[in-house]
Amino acid sequence: MGAVFYTRADCPLCETAWTLLEQAGLSAGLRRKDIASDHELTRIYGWRIPVVALASGQEFDVALEDQLAACLQALSVDVAAD
């Protein structure tokens, strides 16, 4: 799938979003990436995490309810296409 879940340690919003993705059966195709180990990723995503980035370049700030719903829809389509 090529999708990435940007996160960091001790991020309650990240853990909640990951749990929702797991419950929807969509976490298996996501690669988790801790932004703390990369200065550029921290600069880009620092206060936005958790973020899901699809291979298409589309990004979702999944801490926001509407973005999470859109992400779940996009991932469902992406999984069905694989």
Side-chain angles (χ1 to χ4, degrees):
M1 183 185 330
V4 179
F5 181 82
Y6 291 106
T7 185
R8 85 168 114 223
D10 300 320
C11 172
L13 290 173
C14 298
E15 291 309 315
T16 298
W18 186 256
T19 298
L20 291 170
L21 290 164
E22 284 180 321
Q23 290 171 350
L26 299 170
S27 63
L30 291 172
R31 181 172 56 93
R32 288 179 80 141
K33 177 73 177 165
D34 188 332
I35 66 167
S37 62
D38 185 311
H39 294 295
E40 185 64 12
L41 291 177
T42 299
R43 185 186 67 75
I44 295 168
Y45 297 111
W47 294 107
R48 287 180 56 200
I49 61 164
V51 172
V52 171
L54 303 183
S56 66
Q58 192 173 14
E59 294 183 346
F60 301 93
D61 295 6
V62 294
L64 306 173
E65 189 173 331
D66 62 328
Q67 290 277 309
L68 178 60
C71 178
L72 292 172
Q73 176 65 31
L75 285 171
S76 296
V77 170
D78 203 29
V79 167
D82 283 347

Coordinates of all heavy atoms in Angstrom, one line a residue:
M1 N 0.8 -1.2 0.0 CA 0.0 0.0 0.0 C 0.9 1.3 0.0 O 0.5 2.2 -0.6 CB -0.9 0.0 1.2 CG -1.9 1.1 1.3 SD -2.9 1.3 2.7 CE -3.2 -0.3 3.3
G2 N 1.9 1.3 0.8 CA 2.8 2.4 0.8 C 2.4 3.6 1.7 O 2.9 4.7 1.5
A3 N 1.4 3.4 2.5 CA 0.9 4.4 3.4 C 1.8 4.5 4.7 O 2.2 3.4 5.1 CB -0.5 4.2 3.7
V4 N 1.9 5.7 5.2 CA 2.7 5.9 6.4 C 1.9 6.5 7.5 O 1.2 7.5 7.2 CB 4.0 6.7 6.1 CG1 4.8 6.9 7.4 CG2 4.8 6.1 5.0
F5 N 2.0 6.0 8.7 CA 1.4 6.6 9.9 C 2.5 7.3 10.7 O 3.3 6.7 11.3 CB 0.7 5.5 10.7 CG 0.0 6.0 12.0 CD1 -1.2 6.5 11.9 CD2 0.7 5.9 13.2 CE1 -1.9 6.9 13.0 CE2 0.0 6.4 14.4 CZ -1.3 6.9 14.3
Y6 N 2.5 8.7 10.6 CA 3.5 9.5 11.3 C 3.0 9.7 12.8 O 1.9 10.1 13.0 CB 3.7 10.8 10.7 CG 4.4 10.7 9.3 CD1 3.7 10.8 8.1 CD2 5.7 10.4 9.3 CE1 4.3 10.7 6.9 CE2 6.4 10.2 8.0 CZ 5.7 10.4 6.9 OH 6.3 10.2 5.6
T7 N 3.9 9.4 13.7 CA 3.6 9.4 15.1 C 4.8 9.8 15.9 O 5.8 10.1 15.4 CB 3.1 7.9 15.5 OG1 2.7 7.9 16.9 CG2 4.2 6.9 15.3
R8 N 4.7 9.7 17.2 CA 5.8 9.9 18.1 C 5.5 9.2 19.5 O 4.3 9.0 19.8 CB 6.3 11.3 18.3 CG 5.5 12.1 19.3 CD 6.2 13.4 19.6 NE 5.4 14.5 19.2 CZ 5.8 15.5 18.5 NH1 7.0 15.7 18.3 NH2 4.9 16.5 18.2
A9 N 6.4 8.9 20.2 CA 6.2 8.2 21.5 C 5.4 9.2 22.4 O 5.5 10.4 22.3 CB 7.5 7.9 22.2
D10 N 4.7 8.6 23.4 CA 3.9 9.4 24.3 C 2.9 10.4 23.7 O 2.8 11.5 24.1 CB 4.9 10.1 25.3 CG 5.7 9.1 26.1 OD1 5.2 8.1 26.5 OD2 6.9 9.4 26.3
C11 N 2.3 9.9 22.6 CA 1.3 10.7 22.0 C -0.1 10.1 22.1 O -0.4 9.2 21.3 CB 1.7 10.9 20.5 SG 0.4 11.7 19.5
P12 N -0.9 10.5 23.0 CA -2.2 9.9 23.2 C -3.1 9.9 22.0 O -3.8 9.0 21.7 CB -2.8 10.7 24.4 CG -1.7 11.3 25.1 CD -0.6 11.5 24.1
L13 N -3.1 11.1 21.3 CA -3.9 11.2 20.0 C -3.4 10.1 19.0 O -4.3 9.5 18.3 CB -3.8 12.6 19.4 CG -4.5 13.7 20.2 CD1 -4.1 15.0 19.6 CD2 -6.0 13.5 20.2
C14 N -2.1 9.9 19.0 CA -1.6 8.9 18.0 C -2.1 7.5 18.4 O -2.5 6.7 17.5 CB -0.1 8.9 18.0 SG 0.6 10.5 17.5
E15 N -2.0 7.2 19.6 CA -2.5 5.8 20.1 C -4.0 5.6 19.8 O -4.4 4.6 19.4 CB -2.1 5.6 21.5 CG -0.6 5.5 21.8 CD 0.1 4.5 20.9 OE1 -0.5 3.4 20.7 OE2 1.1 4.8 20.3
T16 N -4.8 6.7 20.1 CA -6.2 6.6 19.8 C -6.5 6.4 18.3 O -7.3 5.5 17.9 CB -6.9 7.9 20.3 OG1 -6.8 8.0 21.7 CG2 -8.4 7.8 20.0
A17 N -5.8 7.2 17.5 CA -6.0 7.0 16.0 C -5.5 5.7 15.5 O -6.2 5.0 14.7 CB -5.2 8.1 15.3
W18 N -4.4 5.2 16.1 CA -3.9 3.8 15.7 C -4.9 2.8 16.1 O -5.2 1.9 15.3 CB -2.6 3.6 16.3 CG -2.0 2.3 15.8 CD1 -1.9 1.1 16.5 CD2 -1.4 2.0 14.5 NE1 -1.3 0.1 15.7 CE2 -1.0 0.7 14.5 CE3 -1.2 2.8 13.4 CZ2 -0.4 0.1 13.4 CZ3 -0.6 2.3 12.3 CH2 -0.2 0.9 12.3
T19 N -5.5 2.9 17.2 CA -6.5 1.9 17.7 C -7.7 1.9 16.8 O -8.2 0.9 16.4 CB -6.9 2.2 19.1 OG1 -5.8 2.1 20.0 CG2 -8.0 1.3 19.6
L20 N -8.2 3.1 16.4 CA -9.3 3.2 15.4 C -9.0 2.6 14.1 O -9.8 1.9 13.5 CB -9.7 4.6 15.3 CG -10.4 5.3 16.5 CD1 -10.5 6.8 16.4 CD2 -11.7 4.6 16.9
L21 N -7.8 2.8 13.6 CA -7.3 2.2 12.4 C -7.3 0.7 12.5 O -7.7 0.0 11.6 CB -6.0 2.8 11.9 CG -6.0 4.2 11.5 CD1 -4.6 4.8 11.4 CD2 -6.7 4.3 10.1
E22 N -6.8 0.2 13.6 CA -6.8 -1.3 13.9 C -8.2 -1.8 13.9 O -8.5 -2.9 13.3 CB -6.1 -1.6 15.2 CG -4.6 -1.5 15.2 CD -4.0 -1.8 16.5 OE1 -4.5 -1.4 17.6 OE2 -2.9 -2.4 16.5
Q23 N -9.1 -1.2 14.6 CA -10.5 -1.7 14.7 C -11.1 -1.7 13.3 O -12.0 -2.5 13.1 CB -11.2 -0.8 15.7 CG -10.8 -1.0 17.1 CD -11.5 0.0 18.0 OE1 -12.1 1.0 17.6 NE2 -11.3 -0.2 19.3
A24 N -10.8 -0.8 12.4 CA -11.3 -0.7 11.1 C -10.6 -1.7 10.2 O -11.0 -1.9 9.0 CB -11.2 0.7 10.5
G25 N -9.6 -2.4 10.7 CA -8.9 -3.4 9.9 C -8.0 -2.8 8.8 O -7.6 -3.4 7.8
L26 N -7.5 -1.5 9.1 CA -6.7 -0.8 8.1 C -5.3 -0.5 8.5 O -4.5 0.1 7.8 CB -7.4 0.5 7.7 CG -8.8 0.3 7.1 CD1 -9.5 1.7 7.1 CD2 -8.7 -0.3 5.8
S27 N -4.9 -1.0 9.7 CA -3.6 -0.7 10.2 C -2.5 -1.6 9.6 O -1.3 -1.2 9.5 CB -3.5 -0.8 11.7 OG -3.8 -2.1 12.1
A28 N -2.9 -2.8 9.1 CA -1.9 -3.7 8.6 C -1.0 -3.2 7.5 O 0.2 -3.5 7.4 CB -2.5 -5.0 8.2
G29 N -1.6 -2.4 6.6 CA -0.8 -1.9 5.5 C -0.1 -0.6 5.7 O 0.5 0.0 4.9
L30 N -0.2 -0.1 7.0 CA 0.5 1.1 7.3 C 1.9 0.9 7.9 O 2.0 0.0 8.8 CB -0.4 1.9 8.3 CG -1.7 2.5 7.8 CD1 -2.5 3.1 9.0 CD2 -1.4 3.6 6.8
R31 N 2.8 1.7 7.6 CA 4.1 1.7 8.2 C 4.2 2.8 9.2 O 3.9 3.9 8.9 CB 5.2 1.9 7.1 CG 6.6 1.8 7.7 CD 7.6 1.9 6.5 NE 7.5 3.0 5.7 CZ 8.2 4.2 5.8 NH1 9.0 4.3 6.8 NH2 8.0 5.1 4.9
R32 N 4.5 2.4 10.5 CA 4.6 3.5 11.5 C 5.9 4.1 11.5 O 7.0 3.4 11.4 CB 4.4 2.8 12.9 CG 2.9 2.4 13.1 CD 2.8 1.8 14.5 NE 2.7 2.8 15.5 CZ 1.9 2.8 16.6 NH1 1.1 1.8 16.7 NH2 1.9 3.8 17.4
K33 N 6.0 5.4 11.5 CA 7.2 6.2 11.5 C 7.2 7.2 12.6 O 6.4 8.1 12.7 CB 7.3 6.9 10.1 CG 8.6 7.8 10.0 CD 9.8 6.9 9.8 CE 11.0 7.9 9.6 NZ 12.2 7.2 9.8
D34 N 8.2 7.1 13.5 CA 8.3 8.0 14.6 C 9.1 9.2 14.1 O 10.2 9.1 13.7 CB 9.1 7.3 15.8 CG 9.1 8.2 17.0 OD1 9.1 9.4 16.9 OD2 9.2 7.6 18.1
I35 N 8.4 10.4 14.2 CA 9.0 11.6 13.6 C 10.2 12.1 14.5 O 11.0 12.9 14.0 CB 8.0 12.7 13.4 CG1 7.4 13.2 14.7 CG2 6.9 12.2 12.4 CD1 6.6 14.5 14.5
A36 N 10.3 11.7 15.7 CA 11.3 12.2 16.7 C 12.7 11.9 16.2 O 13.6 12.7 16.5 CB 11.1 11.7 18.1
S37 N 12.9 10.9 15.4 CA 14.2 10.5 15.0 C 14.7 11.2 13.7 O 15.8 11.0 13.2 CB 14.3 9.0 14.8 OG 13.4 8.6 13.7
D38 N 13.8 12.1 13.2 CA 14.1 12.8 11.9 C 13.8 14.3 12.0 O 12.6 14.6 12.1 CB 13.3 12.1 10.8 CG 13.6 12.6 9.4 OD1 13.7 13.9 9.2 OD2 13.8 11.8 8.5
H39 N 14.8 15.1 11.9 CA 14.5 16.6 12.1 C 13.6 17.1 11.1 O 12.7 18.0 11.4 CB 15.9 17.3 12.1 CG 16.7 17.0 13.3 ND1 16.4 17.4 14.6 CD2 17.9 16.4 13.4 CE1 17.3 17.0 15.4 NE2 18.3 16.4 14.7
E40 N 13.7 16.7 9.8 CA 12.9 17.2 8.7 C 11.4 16.8 9.0 O 10.5 17.6 8.8 CB 13.4 16.7 7.4 CG 12.6 17.3 6.2 CD 12.7 18.8 6.0 OE1 13.6 19.4 6.7 OE2 11.9 19.3 5.3
L41 N 11.2 15.5 9.4 CA 9.8 15.1 9.6 C 9.2 15.8 10.8 O 8.0 16.1 10.8 CB 9.8 13.6 9.9 CG 10.1 12.7 8.7 CD1 10.0 11.2 9.1 CD2 9.1 13.0 7.5
T42 N 10.1 16.1 11.8 CA 9.6 16.8 13.0 C 9.2 18.2 12.6 O 8.2 18.8 13.0 CB 10.7 16.9 14.1 OG1 11.0 15.6 14.5 CG2 10.2 17.7 15.3
R43 N 10.0 18.9 11.7 CA 9.6 20.2 11.2 C 8.3 20.2 10.4 O 7.5 21.0 10.6 CB 10.8 20.7 10.3 CG 10.5 22.1 9.8 CD 11.6 22.6 8.8 NE 11.5 21.8 7.5 CZ 10.5 22.1 6.6 NH1 9.6 23.0 6.8 NH2 10.5 21.4 5.5
I44 N 8.1 19.2 9.6 CA 6.9 19.1 8.8 C 5.7 18.7 9.6 O 4.6 19.3 9.5 CB 7.1 18.1 7.6 CG1 8.2 18.6 6.7 CG2 5.8 17.8 6.9 CD1 8.7 17.5 5.7
Y45 N 5.8 17.7 10.4 CA 4.6 17.1 11.1 C 4.5 17.4 12.6 O 3.6 16.9 13.2 CB 4.6 15.6 10.9 CG 4.5 15.2 9.5 CD1 5.6 14.6 8.8 CD2 3.3 15.4 8.8 CE1 5.5 14.2 7.5 CE2 3.2 15.0 7.4 CZ 4.3 14.5 6.8 OH 4.2 14.1 5.5
G46 N 5.5 18.1 13.2 CA 5.6 18.3 14.6 C 4.3 18.4 15.4 O 4.0 17.6 16.2
W47 N 3.5 19.4 15.1 CA 2.2 19.6 15.8 C 1.0 19.0 15.1 O -0.1 19.0 15.7 CB 2.0 21.0 16.1 CG 3.0 21.6 17.0 CD1 4.1 22.4 16.6 CD2 3.2 21.3 18.4 NE1 4.9 22.7 17.7 CE2 4.3 22.0 18.8 CE3 2.5 20.6 19.3 CZ2 4.8 22.0 20.1 CZ3 2.9 20.6 20.6 CH2 4.1 21.3 21.0
R48 N 1.2 18.4 14.0 CA 0.1 17.8 13.2 C -0.2 16.4 13.5 O -1.2 15.9 13.2 CB 0.4 17.9 11.7 CG 0.3 19.3 11.1 CD 0.6 19.3 9.6 NE -0.2 18.4 8.9 CZ 0.1 17.9 7.7 NH1 1.2 18.3 7.1 NH2 -0.8 17.1 7.1
I49 N 0.8 15.7 14.1 CA 0.6 14.2 14.3 C -0.6 13.9 15.2 O -1.0 14.7 16.0 CB 1.8 13.5 14.9 CG1 2.2 14.1 16.2 CG2 3.0 13.6 13.9 CD1 3.1 13.3 17.0
P50 N -1.2 12.8 14.9 CA -0.9 11.8 14.0 C -1.4 12.1 12.6 O -2.4 12.8 12.4 CB -1.7 10.6 14.5 CG -2.9 11.2 15.2 CD -2.4 12.4 15.8
V51 N -0.5 11.8 11.6 CA -0.8 12.0 10.2 C -0.7 10.7 9.4 O 0.3 9.9 9.7 CB 0.1 13.1 9.6 CG1 0.0 13.2 8.1 CG2 -0.1 14.4 10.2
V52 N -1.6 10.4 8.5 CA -1.5 9.3 7.6 C -1.2 9.9 6.2 O -1.9 10.8 5.8 CB -2.8 8.4 7.6 CG1 -2.7 7.4 6.5 CG2 -3.0 7.7 8.9
A53 N -0.1 9.4 5.6 CA 0.3 9.9 4.3 C 0.1 8.7 3.3 O 0.8 7.6 3.6 CB 1.7 10.4 4.3
L54 N -0.6 8.9 2.3 CA -0.8 7.8 1.3 C 0.3 7.9 0.2 O 0.9 9.0 0.1 CB -2.2 7.9 0.6 CG -3.4 7.8 1.6 CD1 -4.7 7.9 0.7 CD2 -3.4 6.6 2.5
A55 N 0.5 6.8 -0.5 CA 1.5 6.8 -1.5 C 1.2 7.9 -2.6 O 2.1 8.4 -3.3 CB 1.6 5.4 -2.2
S56 N -0.1 8.2 -2.8 CA -0.5 9.2 -3.7 C -0.1 10.6 -3.4 O -0.2 11.5 -4.2 CB -2.0 9.2 -3.9 OG -2.7 9.6 -2.7
G57 N 0.3 10.8 -2.1 CA 0.7 12.1 -1.6 C -0.4 12.8 -0.8 O -0.2 13.8 -0.1
Q58 N -1.6 12.2 -0.8 CA -2.6 12.7 0.1 C -2.3 12.5 1.5 O -1.8 11.4 1.9 CB -3.9 12.0 -0.3 CG -5.2 12.6 0.2 CD -6.4 12.0 -0.3 OE1 -6.4 10.9 -0.9 NE2 -7.6 12.6 -0.1
E59 N -2.6 13.5 2.4 CA -2.3 13.4 3.8 C -3.6 13.7 4.6 O -4.4 14.5 4.2 CB -1.2 14.4 4.2 CG 0.1 14.0 3.6 CD 1.2 14.9 4.1 OE1 1.0 16.0 4.7 OE2 2.4 14.6 3.9
F60 N -3.7 13.0 5.8 CA -4.8 13.2 6.7 C -4.3 13.4 8.1 O -3.5 12.6 8.6 CB -5.7 11.9 6.6 CG -6.2 11.6 5.3 CD1 -5.5 10.7 4.5 CD2 -7.4 12.2 4.8 CE1 -6.0 10.4 3.2 CE2 -7.9 11.9 3.6 CZ -7.2 11.0 2.8
D61 N -4.7 14.5 8.7 CA -4.4 14.8 10.1 C -5.5 14.0 10.9 O -6.6 14.6 11.2 CB -4.5 16.3 10.4 CG -3.5 17.1 9.7 OD1 -2.7 16.5 8.8 OD2 -3.4 18.3 9.9
V62 N -5.2 12.8 11.2 CA -6.2 11.9 11.7 C -6.7 12.1 13.2 O -7.6 11.5 13.7 CB -5.9 10.4 11.5 CG1 -5.8 10.1 10.0 CG2 -4.6 10.1 12.2
A63 N -6.1 13.2 13.8 CA -6.6 13.5 15.1 C -7.9 14.3 15.0 O -8.7 14.4 15.9 CB -5.6 14.4 15.9
L64 N -8.2 14.8 13.8 CA -9.4 15.5 13.5 C -10.5 14.6 13.0 O -10.2 13.8 12.1 CB -9.2 16.6 12.5 CG -8.0 17.6 12.8 CD1 -7.8 18.5 11.7 CD2 -8.4 18.4 14.1
E65 N -11.7 14.6 13.5 CA -12.7 13.6 13.2 C -13.0 13.5 11.8 O -13.1 12.4 11.2 CB -13.9 13.9 14.0 CG -15.0 12.8 14.0 CD -16.1 13.0 14.9 OE1 -16.0 13.7 16.0 OE2 -17.2 12.6 14.6
D66 N -13.2 14.7 11.1 CA -13.5 14.7 9.7 C -12.4 14.1 8.8 O -12.6 13.4 7.9 CB -14.0 16.0 9.2 CG -12.9 17.1 9.3 OD1 -12.1 17.0 10.2 OD2 -12.9 18.0 8.4
Q67 N -11.1 14.4 9.2 CA -10.0 13.9 8.5 C -9.8 12.4 8.7 O -9.5 11.7 7.8 CB -8.7 14.6 9.0 CG -8.6 16.0 8.6 CD -8.1 16.2 7.2 OE1 -7.0 15.6 6.9 NE2 -8.8 16.9 6.4
L68 N -10.1 11.9 9.9 CA -10.1 10.5 10.2 C -11.1 9.7 9.4 O -10.8 8.7 8.8 CB -10.3 10.2 11.7 CG -10.4 8.7 12.1 CD1 -9.0 8.0 11.8 CD2 -10.7 8.6 13.6
A69 N -12.3 10.3 9.2 CA -13.3 9.6 8.4 C -12.9 9.6 7.0 O -13.0 8.5 6.3 CB -14.7 10.4 8.6
A70 N -12.3 10.7 6.5 CA -11.8 10.7 5.1 C -10.7 9.7 4.9 O -10.6 9.1 3.8 CB -11.4 12.1 4.7
C71 N -9.8 9.6 5.9 CA -8.7 8.7 5.8 C -9.1 7.3 5.8 O -8.7 6.5 5.0 CB -7.8 8.9 7.0 SG -6.4 7.8 7.1
L72 N -10.1 6.9 6.6 CA -10.6 5.6 6.7 C -11.2 5.2 5.3 O -11.0 4.1 4.8 CB -11.7 5.4 7.8 CG -11.1 5.5 9.2 CD1 -12.3 5.5 10.2 CD2 -10.2 4.3 9.5
Q73 N -11.9 6.2 4.7 CA -12.5 5.9 3.4 C -11.4 5.7 2.3 O -11.5 4.8 1.5 CB -13.4 7.1 3.0 CG -14.0 7.0 1.6 CD -14.9 5.8 1.4 OE1 -15.6 5.4 2.3 NE2 -15.0 5.2 0.2
A74 N -10.4 6.6 2.3 CA -9.3 6.5 1.3 C -8.5 5.2 1.5 O -8.2 4.6 0.5 CB -8.4 7.7 1.5
L75 N -8.3 4.8 2.8 CA -7.5 3.6 3.0 C -8.4 2.4 2.6 O -7.8 1.4 2.0 CB -7.1 3.4 4.5 CG -6.0 4.3 4.9 CD1 -5.8 4.2 6.4 CD2 -4.7 3.9 4.3
S76 N -9.7 2.4 2.8 CA -10.5 1.3 2.4 C -10.5 1.1 0.9 O -10.4 0.0 0.4 CB -12.0 1.6 2.8 OG -12.1 1.6 4.2
V77 N -10.5 2.2 0.1 CA -10.4 2.2 -1.3 C -9.0 1.7 -1.7 O -8.9 0.8 -2.6 CB -10.7 3.6 -1.9 CG1 -10.3 3.6 -3.4 CG2 -12.1 4.0 -1.7
D78 N -8.0 2.1 -1.1 CA -6.6 1.7 -1.4 C -6.4 0.2 -1.1 O -5.8 -0.4 -1.9 CB -5.6 2.6 -0.5 CG -4.2 2.6 -1.1 OD1 -4.1 2.6 -2.3 OD2 -3.3 2.8 -0.3
V79 N -6.9 -0.3 0.0 CA -6.8 -1.7 0.3 C -7.6 -2.5 -0.7 O -7.1 -3.6 -1.2 CB -7.4 -2.0 1.7 CG1 -7.6 -3.4 2.0 CG2 -6.5 -1.4 2.8
A80 N -8.7 -2.1 -1.1 CA -9.5 -2.8 -2.1 C -8.8 -2.9 -3.5 O -9.0 -3.9 -4.2 CB -10.9 -2.2 -2.3
A81 N -8.0 -1.8 -3.8 CA -7.3 -1.8 -5.1 C -6.1 -2.7 -5.1 O -5.7 -3.1 -6.1 CB -6.9 -0.4 -5.4
D82 N -5.6 -3.0 -3.9 CA -4.4 -3.9 -3.8 C -4.7 -5.3 -4.2 O -5.6 -5.9 -4.2 CB -3.8 -3.9 -2.4 CG -3.0 -2.6 -2.2 OD1 -2.7 -1.9 -3.2 OD2 -2.6 -2.4 -1.0

